[in-house]
Amino acid sequence: MELLERAGPLDALDELLTASAAGGRIALVGGEAGAGKSALVSAFTAAVGARARVLQGGCDPLLTPRALGPLHDIGRQVGGALAERLAESRAGDGRAGERRGALFDTLLDELAGPRQRRRPVLVIEDAHWADEATLDLTAFLGRRLAGCRALLVLTYRDDEVGPEHPLHAVLAGLPRALVRRLPLPPLSTAAVEELARRAGRSPAGLYQATGGNPLLVTEVLAAGGPGVPPTVRDLVAARLAALSPVAREAARLVSVVPSRTESHLLGGESPAAVEECLAGGLLVPAADGVRFRHELLRRAVRDGLSPVRRAALHAAVLARLAGRSDVDAARLVHHAHHADDAAAVLRWAPLAARRAAAVGAHRQAVAHYAVALARAAGLPPTRRAELLEAYSSAAYLAGLGTEALAARREALALREADGDTVPIGENLRWLSRLCWWNGDSAAARAAATRAVQVLESAPPGRELAMAYSGMAQLLMLANRDDEAIEWGGRALALAARIGDRDTEAHALVNIGSARLQRGDPDGVELLEQAHVRATLDGLDDHAARALVNLATMSIERYDLDAAGARLDRALQFTTGRDLDGYARHLLGHRAGLRLLQGDWTGALTDAETALAGSGQPGGSLVPALLVRGLLRSRYGDPTAADELATVAGWAYGTGELQFVGPAAAALAEHHWLDGEPERAAAEARRGYELAVAAGQPWSAGELAYWRWRAGELTSAPAVAASPYRRLLAGDWAGAADEWRRLGCPYRRAEALACGDAEAAGEALRILDALGAVRTARRLRAELRGRGLARVPRGPRPATTANPPGLTARQLEVLALLADGLSDAEIAGRLSLSARTVGHHVSAVLGKLAVPNRGQAAAVARRQGLVPPT
């Protein structure tokens, strides 16, 4: 069947398939429900069947989506190694990360293997319903597709993928050079009239009623009869009314089964009734079964059922599915829940959760456990505690820190009532970890102390070894390094005695970190050793933590040359193993390094990339938030104050220098730039004593500097780093020279600003070059206050009226870009060539330090550069 007004997207898909010969390509097919996304993909795959090998899977609107649902569909198509890996992934043997990695690699082998006479086309439909593991798979493929001669096609409802939708972050992170977006707009009035003409119907009122939505247009024309039904439900009611009673019953059964109803589920229905539904166009064939022609039609039939009838149909489907070994447990949970079958929910939901967790779909695991817990009131306390513990672990891995903590506390209460020592101690250890992730370090240490006390009353085992190591980690994070090394030694000794390689690696990372933090050079060697041992044992989390600590502590110690190489190495390791939590944390620290080194565009890009995904528990995103807040403050963005205050509020609650120190310094700088020295001093004091007590020279020096700037400190503490001690002693030139050798231009400008007129002029030139509009404005005011008659002017007002320094023409381009106009449309509006507009757009993206037009529009609205929507 001809697709009206879809020739452009079809040609684009064909072009992308051809281009994939030089490296993979990605097509993003977006549109509202009923826009014809599936019809477009079907037409494309049918047209290229002779030269393409199509692998196709879809995401389902289940109560909780199937983990890796599209990949299971594809596995059934290709069989072989992929099907074997999928079967292995269901095993709950604690090797989830290893198995998921092997599974993703096997799919990549299918796309990049030697037998590719026909180009692979991988289609994932309805990605707006994707589970967490499928989103991870999409990101995984995006990072590696350039090495494959394959085309990835994603379809999704773009009106459902807002900034907070998890798919949004995945799409934003795909490599821009490989991606082409293919939006499917509604049909035009002319197309709707043409369809009506072909159907022998009057077009009067048809476009107004349907808005040009292809599905609605088709349904209205197929319904027959006078007038235009006002809703999809009315359309479907008309379709059902034309069927026999037995056919209507078959359609109703199919309506409670999302996606596809297999032939074995239709065993109780009359074959003639199913054929009648197919002939009437309500159902269409789908692999080994049938489905509604569109999800909107299925939901309209389902929603027309009474609650009692709907539950009975779900129960019938559940009974037919439950005896089969090839059914995804998520489907059983869906039907058990809607059938209100508590026993079936409690049987299948934990299994579905474990299988979801085994492939990294932790949010789906949380949802399954939540469904089970809602029906667990009558279970024995031990069984309920086990469910709560499993839910808590899944929530922790999913980044749901508050939910994980609440569930762990409830589980602990049940275990304490039961009096079983080891589970009590293990819950206390987990409680300690979760309290820390939620920013309560004091509660974390209290729970860790109790965990050790409880577990020491039982025979020594893995739980006690890990409790010792957990205590060592908390003490290291609190800069109590000698105590951390002592507790780490206890953990290491017990773990070695019982053969616990997991805890050995964990403890070795803690000991190495504590040694490096207190200035021992052998800390580097210990962390390298921990990384190697953990990697060989397949303990990716510990191996990553060793590299992360080595890299981030290098920045804290201003070992900046080594820090860059160590950050790159750690990022390569974590992204290669899809450890996105660590990778985003590292990006925040790399943003901090680039901020120090004067690469503010790169710093903001790293910070925005780190913050683009879903929220994470704990302080992992604090470095990125602080860099973005500081840049906004220095640029003069009015949103800076709220952002810095929010992140500082969390940081201060931890009581840990790694969070308190940077947050206090950032807020102190912000208030000083506002001309509020008292507030600046108050913020600096929050971290000063911590930094001095911990013997951390750079943090102590920076906070001393802000107290000195605010007029309440006359000299630096002995522990402060040399540039700060020299500056506070009056040697601004020596301090500036040290900052120059370290490669820190903003810090150098701060020192020069304290010098004579010539030095202050040099400071202004540095600040203007960096774009530090607000800092430069503060310094100019200060110089005038000193009585200097000739203070150097800054950049032209045309480029300082906005923090990124956009020209008037670039602001015009940005405003039109934010309205969604293409380069060609902008060119028409401004009487420029499309090439010139392209150059302006590239310059705008660079100055705003964002990777794409969508983020440019968001930043522009946030900074007030264009009117809000």
Side-chain angles (χ1 to χ4, degrees):
M1 184 182 80
E2 179 188 358
L3 296 179
L4 293 183
E5 299 184 335
R6 296 296 185 253
L10 279 171
D11 289 345
L13 286 170
D14 194 81
E15 290 168 8
L16 287 169
L17 180 60
T18 301
S20 67
R25 295 293 187 272
I26 303 171
L28 304 180
V29 181
E32 66 178 352
K37 300 179 293 295
S38 296
L40 177 77
V41 170
S42 295
F44 167 67
T45 55
V48 300
R51 60 191 180 99
R53 177 174 176 244
V54 178
L55 309 176
Q56 192 158 359
C59 306
D60 307 311
L62 293 170
L63 176 69
T64 300
R66 294 180 297 156
L68 290 176
L71 194 53
H72 282 276
D73 294 342
I74 293 164
R76 281 190 290 270
Q77 295 171 40
V78 303
L82 183 59
E84 292 174 10
R85 297 291 89 77
L86 284 163
E88 291 170 359
S89 71
R90 299 190 183 100
D93 59 0
R95 297 169 59 194
E98 178 185 341
R99 292 195 183 281
R100 190 173 85 148
L103 185 57
F104 287 8
D105 287 341
T106 304
L107 175 62
L108 202 62
D109 291 342
E110 284 286 339
L111 300 178
R115 55 178 184 138
Q116 303 303 335
R117 284 183 301 175
R118 292 190 300 156
R119 198 76 44 72
V121 175
L122 175 61
V123 179
I124 298 178
E125 292 208 73
D126 296 317
H128 52 281
W129 288 323
D131 65 284
E132 184 180 5
T134 298
L135 294 177
D136 288 346
L137 172 63
T138 304
F140 171 90
L141 291 173
R143 289 193 286 265
R144 294 161 178 82
L145 206 61
C148 304
R149 291 161 32 113
L151 172 61
L152 170 62
V153 181
L154 295 175
T155 74
Y156 60 98
R157 294 183 186 173
D158 52 11
D159 55 338
E160 294 189 18
V161 182
E164 302 304 317
H165 194 291
L167 177 61
H168 176 80
V170 174
L171 298 184
L174 294 174
R176 294 173 60 196
L178 306 184
V179 173
R180 186 161 177 184
R181 293 180 179 267
L182 303 176
L184 298 186
L187 298 175
S188 68
T189 305
V192 173
E193 290 175 351
E194 172 63 16
L195 289 172
R197 186 190 63 76
R198 293 180 185 182
R201 298 281 302 279
S202 168
L206 183 57
Y207 182 84
Q208 290 76 8
T210 63
N213 181 285
L215 172 73
L216 297 183
V217 171
T218 304
E219 286 300 308
V220 169
L221 293 175
V228 178
T231 67
V232 174
R233 182 176 294 185
D234 294 330
L235 288 167
V236 172
R239 286 288 190 99
L240 285 175
L243 299 175
S244 67
V246 289
R248 285 198 293 271
E249 283 305 302
R252 287 166 181 153
L253 176 75
V254 176
S255 77
V256 302
V257 184
S259 298
R260 182 182 83 256
T261 304
E262 298 93 326
S263 56
H264 60 78
L265 290 178
L266 297 168
E269 308 303 315
S270 162
V274 177
E275 288 297 327
E276 186 179 347
C277 293
L278 292 167
L282 194 60
L283 302 182
V284 295
D288 60 342
V290 298
R291 61 174 175 81
F292 276 84
R293 202 159 55 79
H294 196 278
E295 174 66 11
L296 289 177
L297 307 182
R298 183 189 74 82
R299 291 188 178 186
V301 175
R302 182 201 64 188
D303 293 347
L305 299 170
S306 72
V308 173
R309 181 68 179 132
R310 196 182 308 159
L313 288 170
H314 278 291
V317 171
L318 177 63
R320 296 174 191 179
L321 287 175
R324 300 181 64 90
S325 60
D326 59 346
V327 176
D328 195 298
R331 295 184 66 190
L332 299 171
V333 176
H334 176 87
H335 293 294
H337 171 77
H338 288 295
D340 199 23
D341 187 337
V345 167
L346 289 169
R347 177 184 179 188
W348 297 114
L351 175 62
R354 289 193 295 273
R355 288 182 175 176
V359 292
H362 300 298
R363 286 184 178 267
Q364 282 63 52
V366 169
H368 285 306
Y369 282 127
V371 170
L373 284 166
R375 300 173 185 271
L379 291 179
T382 300
R383 178 74 182 105
R384 181 168 171 78
E386 290 170 353
L387 277 176
L388 285 163
E389 289 159 359
Y391 171 89
S392 178
S393 296
Y396 166 71
L397 293 169
L400 304 174
T402 302
E403 293 85 343
L405 180 59
R408 188 63 64 171
R409 282 177 170 149
E410 190 175 347
L412 175 61
L414 290 170
R415 294 296 193 181
E416 287 177 329
D418 190 52
D420 195 346
T421 302
V422 173
I424 292 172
E426 186 72 350
N427 271 286
L428 283 166
R429 183 179 70 80
W430 266 105
L431 190 66
S432 169
R433 183 68 175 156
L434 293 168
C435 285
W436 187 87
W437 271 110
N438 282 274
D440 192 345
S441 300
R445 288 191 288 273
T449 301
R450 281 195 62 205
V452 169
Q453 292 170 345
V454 168
L455 290 168
E456 283 184 335
S457 68
R462 185 199 67 82
E463 294 82 5
L464 179 59
M466 189 55 86
Y468 285 157
S469 193
M471 180 67 82
Q473 183 177 13
L474 287 172
L475 291 166
M476 177 269 293
L477 292 168
N479 293 91
R480 293 162 61 178
D481 298 317
D482 291 341
E483 295 170 84
I485 292 167
E486 179 188 347
W487 281 95
R490 292 190 203 179
L492 209 55
L494 177 54
R497 192 164 76 242
I498 63 178
D500 181 3
R501 303 279 292 180
D502 187 350
T503 301
E504 275 191 89
H506 190 269
L508 199 56
V509 174
N510 297 331
I511 295 170
S513 300
R515 287 192 179 278
L516 181 58
Q517 196 164 244
R518 74 177 186 183
D520 292 351
D522 64 353
V524 174
E525 179 57 36
L526 282 174
L527 286 171
E528 291 285 6
Q529 180 185 338
H531 171 70
V532 171
R533 289 176 58 174
T535 302
L536 290 174
D537 287 342
L539 301 170
D540 286 351
D541 186 78
H542 302 329
R545 193 164 66 94
L547 293 183
V548 169
N549 288 6
L550 182 56
T552 57
M553 287 180 179
S554 299
I555 301 172
E556 291 171 2
R557 296 169 58 80
Y558 274 69
D559 187 2
L560 302 186
D561 290 336
R566 288 167 179 171
L567 275 170
D568 289 344
R569 177 186 174 198
L571 275 165
Q572 183 178 12
F573 183 87
T574 54
T575 55
R577 286 160 174 77
D578 293 295
L579 299 171
D580 288 342
Y582 280 125
R584 291 169 68 190
H585 181 61
L586 286 164
L587 280 173
H589 278 284
R590 192 172 73 179
L593 176 62
R594 288 178 165 175
L595 183 72
L596 282 171
Q597 294 175 329
D599 177 11
W600 287 12
T601 298
L604 187 55
T605 298
D606 275 349
E608 294 281 14
T609 303
L611 298 171
S614 58
Q616 291 186 179
S620 61
L621 298 182
V622 164
L625 286 165
L626 284 174
V627 168
R628 189 171 71 178
L630 265 176
L631 279 170
R632 289 178 176 175
S633 177
R634 294 171 186 176
Y635 285 145
D637 186 334
T639 66
D642 287 342
E643 178 155 48
L644 288 173
T646 299
V647 69
W650 187 93
Y652 292 161
T654 69
E656 291 183 3
L657 179 61
Q658 63 167 322
F659 300 121
V660 175
L667 264 182
E669 177 181 338
H670 180 80
H671 291 316
W672 183 81
L673 290 176
D674 263 348
E676 299 181 285
E678 296 83 3
R679 294 185 70 185
E683 295 299 339
R685 282 197 302 271
R686 288 177 178 270
Y688 177 78
E689 295 298 339
L690 269 178
V692 172
Q696 295 300 309
W698 297 96
S699 182
E702 183 177 15
L703 293 164
Y705 165 76
W706 286 115
R707 293 186 67 190
W708 174 75
R709 265 299 208 180
E712 77 166 25
L713 205 66
T714 57
S715 62
V719 71
S722 173
Y724 291 113
R725 281 189 284 106
R726 295 180 76 164
L727 180 59
L728 270 62
D731 183 9
W732 56 265
D737 193 52
E738 286 202 42
W739 287 121
R740 181 189 58 78
R741 289 198 300 272
L742 283 167
C744 300
Y746 189 82
R747 293 281 187 252
R748 178 169 176 252
E750 287 178 327
L752 289 169
C754 300
D756 58 23
E758 183 180 350
E762 176 65 13
L764 283 172
R765 284 189 287 275
I766 294 171
L767 296 174
D768 290 339
L770 289 170
V773 177
R774 189 158 164 264
T775 314
R777 187 184 306 132
R778 175 74 168 84
L779 178 55
R780 285 186 170 90
E782 184 178 282
L783 293 177
R784 293 187 187 99
R786 290 191 211 170
L788 293 182
R790 301 188 63 181
V791 177
R793 291 185 59 189
R796 293 185 308 158
T799 58
T800 58
N802 57 85
L806 299 172
T807 66
R809 177 62 85 186
Q810 288 165 353
L811 282 170
E812 287 181 303
V813 169
L814 178 57
L816 296 173
L817 179 156
D819 284 340
L821 274 66
S822 67
D823 285 1
E825 290 168 327
I826 295 172
R829 292 279 188 94
L830 300 180
S831 300
L832 300 172
S833 71
R835 172 176 288 187
T836 299
V837 170
H839 291 318
H840 283 312
V841 170
S842 296
V844 167
L845 297 181
K847 288 185 177 182
L848 294 180
V850 293
N852 56 53
R853 301 163 78 99
Q855 288 192 30
V859 169
R861 291 194 175 95
R862 188 168 59 238
Q863 294 188 6
L865 303 177
V866 300
T869 53

